Amino acid sequence: MSERLLAVGEAPHTVGDMRGAVPQARGAVHDGRAAGAEADLGAGSQEAAALLDRTREAVEPELRRAVDSLPGTMRRVVAYHFGWEYADGRPASGQSGKAIRPGLVLAAARALGGSPTAAVKGAAAVELVHNFTLLHDDVIDRDSTRRHRPTAWTVFGDADAILAGDALQALALRVLADDQHPAAGRAAAWVASCVMELCEGQHVDTALEERSCDQVTLDECLGVAEAKTGALLGCACALGALYAGAGFDEVEAMDAFGREAGLAFQLIDDVIGIWGDPARTGKPVGADLLAGKKSLPVVAALTSGTAAGEELAELYPRLGPADVGKAADAIDRAGGRDWAQAQAADRMAKAVAQLSRAVPDPEAAGGLLALAEFVTRRSF
């Protein structure tokens, strides 16, 4: 196992120099409709997939040990949410997630000269926090499906899902408190600050949902995306740097890298939320539109000043199933889809610039670059 852990974050092939990585990401993101399927087969995606496989192998035992320590009711809800059990407690073989955030922790540790093995508890803590947010988000958004199965709140009820999420947040901090690594204390403080930012981002997001469409700006939505998605990816990269013994400037640069990559991730996730294939997303077609979410492509279209944007405003946010196709077409014609993909490419370019501050050697940064490109090259 130790040899496998040491390999996490090591790119079997370099992505190329950092300047070359930006146009590659830009082309794939900007034309995501055509590039997605090709990207799945590309060397970069295969590299990232292999890295994520190694991450799951390294981190899942730590996750299971932590979850097994929860009180019975909480453990049952969390084990179901992770895909390890069915609702009646029978063992299941579901995958607990893509492992992107713990993958970033381990890849960042290696990129800065540290040992991924030593950072496994930090990676597990980040994944526990991520799943705390998923449990709560599903309740708040009333999402009924996640990872191709009913969400925890639909099975166990709102209260149990919320409390299980609370338990995961506390569990993440306990995992770090029990870690003997000298960076664990700073890592716990960084995670706590991140959780506060996540909660504030969710508060603002909920407030925006209460406003009419003409009272929401793109800048506000981008701010929410940074707080809800970028902050945790930034935290993951920062924790990897902390466990590698990096200095303050390097840790800050890694946090900035993760935040920019996180914004790119959210932009593409919002596109997939409208045009994604349910067989891949595990959610019904146009789920975000039916939920009336003010996602980034939607707000870009609504604020575009175009005729298509006005058409969308007449439909949104009270859509029926028959209106989903019309709304998606209006967003596309208003430029919301192209704007989101171009913005994702721009954020990726900024992410690479931040990464080069902390890790000037492109070969050392290969695993991080592969992961960052992977999250913006997902197929629809």
Side-chain angles (χ1 to χ4, degrees):
M1 176 65 78
S2 61
E3 291 179 358
R4 297 282 295 181
L5 289 176
L6 288 171
V8 173
E10 180 177 13
H13 303 286
T14 60
V15 176
D17 66 39
M18 295 191 191
R19 289 173 298 174
V22 178
Q24 183 181 3
R26 183 180 299 277
V29 174
H30 187 65
D31 192 21
R33 282 165 282 187
E38 296 173 8
D40 280 347
L41 302 175
S45 288
Q46 292 174 3
E47 178 181 315
L51 193 156
L52 293 173
D53 284 343
R54 295 196 298 274
T55 296
R56 280 188 289 270
E57 182 179 335
V59 176
E60 185 162 312
E62 188 67 40
L63 286 175
R64 286 182 178 268
R65 278 193 293 272
V67 170
D68 283 346
S69 73
L70 290 172
T73 304
M74 297 300 95
R75 195 208 65 79
R76 181 183 172 198
V77 177
V78 171
Y80 171 84
H81 168 76
F82 272 117
W84 300 335
E85 292 182 1
Y86 293 104
D88 60 6
R90 287 179 297 122
S93 57
Q95 194 176 93
S96 57
K98 297 182 181 70
I100 289 169
R101 290 154 190 85
L104 287 170
V105 175
L106 302 188
R110 185 174 188 88
L112 286 159
S115 165
T117 307
V120 166
K121 287 186 182 290
V126 167
E127 188 68 354
L128 291 169
V129 168
H130 173 52
N131 282 276
F132 138 68
T133 69
L134 296 183
L135 281 162
H136 281 203
D137 281 353
D138 287 343
V139 174
I140 293 169
D141 297 338
R142 311 313 285 170
D143 284 339
S144 60
T145 305
R146 180 172 294 282
R147 297 169 182 158
H148 305 278
R149 66 196 324 222
T151 46
W153 72 267
T154 68
V155 175
F156 299 99
D158 287 1
D160 280 358
I162 292 168
L163 291 169
D166 293 342
L168 283 183
Q169 180 192 158
L171 187 59
L173 293 174
R174 194 179 75 186
V175 165
L176 293 172
D178 290 342
D179 192 358
Q180 299 303 307
H181 194 283
R186 290 182 64 197
W190 206 289
V191 167
S193 295
C194 176
V195 168
M196 288 187 280
E197 186 173 355
L198 291 169
C199 291
E200 175 63 14
Q202 182 61 63
H203 169 75
V204 175
D205 189 27
T206 303
L208 291 181
E209 291 300 326
E210 297 298 318
R211 293 194 213 163
S212 62
C213 291
D214 60 354
Q215 294 180 323
V216 177
T217 69
L218 266 178
D219 284 344
E220 288 176 313
C221 292
L222 285 167
V224 166
E226 179 174 357
K228 288 186 61 178
T229 304
L232 189 53
L233 267 70
C235 178
C237 295
L239 258 61
L242 288 171
Y243 273 88
F248 178 80
D249 289 345
E250 291 168 315
V251 175
E252 286 285 315
M254 291 302 297
D255 181 80
F257 161 72
R259 285 174 180 272
E260 294 291 355
L263 276 172
F265 177 97
Q266 187 59 57
L267 284 153
I268 294 303
D269 202 58
D270 282 356
V271 171
I272 291 173
I274 298 172
W275 292 281
D277 178 0
R280 290 179 176 272
T281 65
K283 295 183 179 183
V285 64
D288 286 1
L289 296 179
L290 283 171
K293 291 184 180 179
K294 296 182 178 70
S295 65
L296 289 162
V298 168
V299 177
L302 288 170
T303 57
S304 65
T306 63
E310 293 176 5
E311 289 177 35
L312 179 66
E314 293 178 4
L315 292 168
Y316 217 70
R318 296 177 180 82
L319 298 180
D323 300 318
V324 168
K326 296 176 187 176
D329 179 64
I331 296 166
D332 206 355
R333 287 185 288 110
R337 184 173 185 168
D338 286 342
W339 174 86
Q341 291 173 329
Q343 277 287 312
D346 183 59
R347 294 294 179 171
M348 270 296 298
K350 291 178 178 177
V352 171
Q354 293 291 347
L355 179 58
S356 67
R357 287 176 49 209
V359 190
D361 179 5
E363 184 171 351
L368 287 167
L369 284 170
L371 286 177
E373 289 193 33
F374 176 78
V375 300
T376 55
R377 291 168 67 92
R378 292 169 295 159
S379 62
F380 291 63

